Amino acid sequence: MGSEIHQSGENVRFLIHLFNGRWFMVFASFLIMACAGATYLFGTYSKDIKSTLGYDQTTLNLLGFFKDLGANVGVMSGLIAEVTPTWFVLIIGSAMNFVGYFMIWLTVTGKVVKPRVWQMCLYICIGANSQNFANTGALVICVKNFPESRGVMLGLLKGYVGLSGAIMTQLYFAIYGNDSKSLILLIAWLPAVVSLVFVYSIREKKVVRQRNEINVFYNFLYISIFLALFLMAMNIAEKQVHFTKAAYIASATICCVLLFVPLTVAVKQEIEVLNINKVAAEEPSEVKIEKPKKDIDLKEEKKETKSCLLTVFDPPPRGEDYTILQALLSLDMIILFLATLCGLGSSLTAVDNLGQIGESLGYPNHTVSSFVSLVSIWNYFGRVFSGFVSEYLLAKYKLPRPLMMTLVLLLSCAGHLLIAFPVPGSVYIASILMGFSFGAQLPLLFAIISELFGLKYFSTLFNCGQLASPLGSYILNVRVTGMLYDREAMKQLTARGLTRKDVKDLTCLGSQCYKLPFVILAAVTFFGALVSLGLAIRTRKFYKGDIYKKFRESHESESVMVSDSRKS
C-alpha cells in the first residue's frame, strides 16, 4: 500500500515537472503555431468577401494590405511582452483573434448590416494582429530557452505556422464541409481556444543543456515532415477522388494524431532532464565560481558614465545586446529592412493574389484552393529548410545567414516570372516556389536579428523588423498589382461595351491580368537579393567567429556544480 502511494506521488511529481518543462513548452508552442497562420488562408475566403460585399480588386487588395499590416506590425505585442508575463500576451492575442475574425464571419454570412470598407479593414487588421501575440508569446520564449539552437527552433516553429493553412483546411472540411464562409468561423475560435489551453505552459525556463539536444530537434523535424507529406497527399487525393464527409473526418483525425506525436518526444526528454536533476541533487558540489567584485563594480561604473543618448550612436559589437534604438538606427538593420521590404513585400503580394491569379487563368475553384494548400505546405518546407540548413551551413562552413536570404530571394524571382509568363501547369510550380521562398525568409530574418542585435530586446526587435513587410505589401499589392489588375479589367469591360456600374465585382480574365505586375515583383525581389548580398558581405567576419560562445560560457559557469557532483 505504501509503495503504491509512493508511486502515485512520483507520478504526480513527474506530471508537474512535465507541464513545467522546456520540452513540453516546445510541444505546446508547436500547437499554438499550427493554428497561428490564418492570414495565409486569405486566398481561400477572399472571393466570398469580394462577391458578398461587391468589392473590386483594388478594394480587396486594400483589405489584404490591412491583413498584412496587422500580421506584421507586432511592435505593440513586443513592447507589452517586455513588461507583462507571457500568459497575458497570449490572452490578449486570443481575444483579438476571436473578435476580428468573428466580425468578418458575421459580415459575409449577412448576420450584421454591411459594414463600411474601413470597418472591414479594422476587423481583419485586429484578427491578423493576434498572430503577433502568439509569435511573441511562443516563438520569443522558445528562442530564449534554446539560444544555441535558435535557427532550428525558428525553422520548426515557423514551419508549423506554414502548415497551419493546410491543417485548418482539413479541419474545416471535416467540421463544416465545403463551405469557405465557415472557414472564417473556424479561424475565429480554434486559435483562440488553443492559446488559452496552453497559456500557462509558455514561459521562460532554466536552461538544462543536453548533449543530444540537436537530435531531439531532428526527431521533431521528421515528425513534422511526415505531417507535411500527409497533408500534401490529402491535397492531391482530394483533387482526384470525391471525398465524403466520413473521409474528411478520418483525414482530420489522422492530422490531429500527428500533431500530438511530438508530445511523446517531449515526455521522453523530460524524463531525462528529471534524471539529470536527481543526480545533481544527490551530492551538491562546493565548487562555486564568482567574478571579482571589483571587476563587476568597474563595469557598472563604466555603464553609468554613458548617457542614454550617447549609447544610441555607440552600439556594442555585433552579437551583444543592443538597445532598441541602437538596433533600429544601425546600418545593418536598415539594410535588412530594405531587403525584407522587397522580398516579403513581393511574396505577400503573390500569396494574397493567388486566388485571383487562378481565376484569371481559368482554373476551377477546387483547383484554386489546391494552389493555396500548396503554398501552405511548401511554406512549411521553406521554413524548416532555412532553419536547419542555415544552422548547419553556419556551424560547419561559417556561411553568413544573409547569404542564404539572397539565394532564397533569387528563387522567389523565378516563381514571379512563372506567373508573369504562364504556361500550362506553371501556376502549380509557381505556388511551390513562392510558398517555399516565402516561408524560408521569415526564420532567416528572425535568426539574423537575434544574432546581430542580441536576445535582450528580441521580442520588440523582431517585430520591428517585420514592419518592412506590410509597407512592401502596401506599395506592391495595393498601389501596383491591384491598380494594374483593375486597369486591365476595365479595358476588358470597355471592350464588351459595359461600365463599372453594370457589374457587381470587377474581374479580369487572361494571362495579361498579372503579367506586368509580376514582372515588377520579380525586378523588386532581385533588387532585394542584391541588398541582402551586401549585408552578407558586411557581416562575413562576424559569422566567421563563434557567435554562440557566450551562451556556452554562461551555461558552463552555471553547470559546474552538476559536473563536479557527477565526478564525485
Side-chain angles (χ1 to χ4, degrees), residues 369-383:
S369 67
S370 73
F371 296 151
V372 176
S373 292
L374 277 174
V375 167
S376 180
I377 293 165
W378 283 93
N379 194 331
Y380 156 79
F381 282 116
R383 290 171 190 232

Side-chain angles (χ1 to χ4, degrees), residues 143-426:
V143 170
K144 289 183 176 181
N145 286 338
F146 297 90
E148 293 181 54
S149 304
R150 69 186 70 178
V152 172
M153 190 80 259
L154 286 166
L156 278 170
L157 288 172
K158 299 305 289 183
Y160 273 96
V161 176
L163 283 179
S164 63
I167 291 169
M168 284 198 276
T169 298
Q170 292 298 317
L171 294 178
Y172 109 80
F173 277 142
I175 298 170
Y176 299 109
N178 193 13
D179 177 14
S180 53
K181 290 181 181 179
S182 295
L183 174 61
I184 305 172
L185 179 60
L186 181 71
I187 291 169
W189 67 263
L190 183 61
V193 169
V194 172
S195 289
L196 289 176
V197 168
F198 295 106
V199 72
Y200 289 113
S201 299
I202 311 297
R203 58 178 182 265
E204 204 166 341
K205 317 283 185 180
K206 182 181 177 182
V207 177
V208 180
R209 195 176 177 199
Q210 295 166 258
R211 291 183 181 179
N212 67 334
E213 190 172 281
I214 190 66
N215 293 330
V216 180
F217 284 117
Y218 274 109
N219 289 334
F220 286 136
L221 173 65
Y222 301 145
I223 293 167
S224 64
I225 287 175
F226 191 81
L227 173 62
L229 293 175
F230 170 76
L231 290 170
M232 185 182 292
M234 288 300 99
N235 184 47
I236 294 169
E238 286 164 12
K239 305 303 172 286
Q240 304 297 325
V241 182
H242 175 69
F243 267 48
T244 62
K245 180 83 169 181
Y248 280 125
I249 292 172
S251 172
T253 303
I254 295 171
C255 182
C256 291
V257 170
L258 291 174
L259 282 172
F260 277 83
V261 171
L263 179 60
T264 61
V265 178
V267 170
K268 182 182 177 183
Q269 294 309 310
E270 290 302 341
I271 292 172
E272 183 178 323
V273 172
L274 192 62
N275 291 334
I276 292 172
N277 291 340
K278 282 180 180 178
V279 171
E282 284 173 4
E283 292 186 48
S285 171
E286 296 297 325
V287 177
K288 191 176 181 180
I289 292 178
E290 289 185 0
K291 289 185 177 180
K293 190 177 180 183
K294 193 178 284 185
D295 291 350
I296 296 170
D297 292 341
L298 285 171
K299 285 181 182 178
E300 287 177 355
E301 285 177 14
K302 192 175 180 183
K303 286 180 183 177
E304 287 173 3
T305 57
K306 290 188 177 181
S307 71
C308 181
L309 291 174
L310 286 176
T311 58
V312 171
F313 302 102
D314 185 23
R318 290 189 182 103
E320 297 299 320
D321 289 325
Y322 281 52
T323 66
I324 294 172
L325 286 177
Q326 283 173 342
L328 294 181
L329 296 176
S330 70
L331 184 57
D332 288 342
M333 181 64 90
I334 293 170
I335 294 172
L336 188 59
F337 187 91
L338 184 57
T340 304
L341 185 146
C342 297
L344 280 178
S346 298
S347 295
L348 279 170
T349 300
V351 171
D352 285 349
N353 284 275
L354 200 55
Q356 281 68 45
I357 290 168
E359 184 182 37
S360 68
L361 295 176
Y363 289 97
N365 290 337
H366 215 56
T367 304
V368 171
S369 67
S370 73
F371 296 151
V372 176
S373 292
L374 277 174
V375 167
S376 180
I377 293 165
W378 283 93
N379 194 331
Y380 156 79
F381 282 116
R383 290 171 190 232
V384 296
F385 179 87
S386 67
F388 278 82
V389 173
S390 68
E391 195 75 26
Y392 173 78
L393 294 175
L394 176 61
K396 189 162 185 178
Y397 302 107
K398 302 296 183 182
L399 197 72
R401 248 187 256 267
L403 185 59
M404 188 82 170
M405 176 80 84
T406 302
L407 298 175
V408 165
L409 291 180
L410 291 175
L411 187 66
S412 183
C413 287
H416 296 325
L417 291 174
L418 282 173
I419 298 295
F421 304 100
V423 294
S426 65

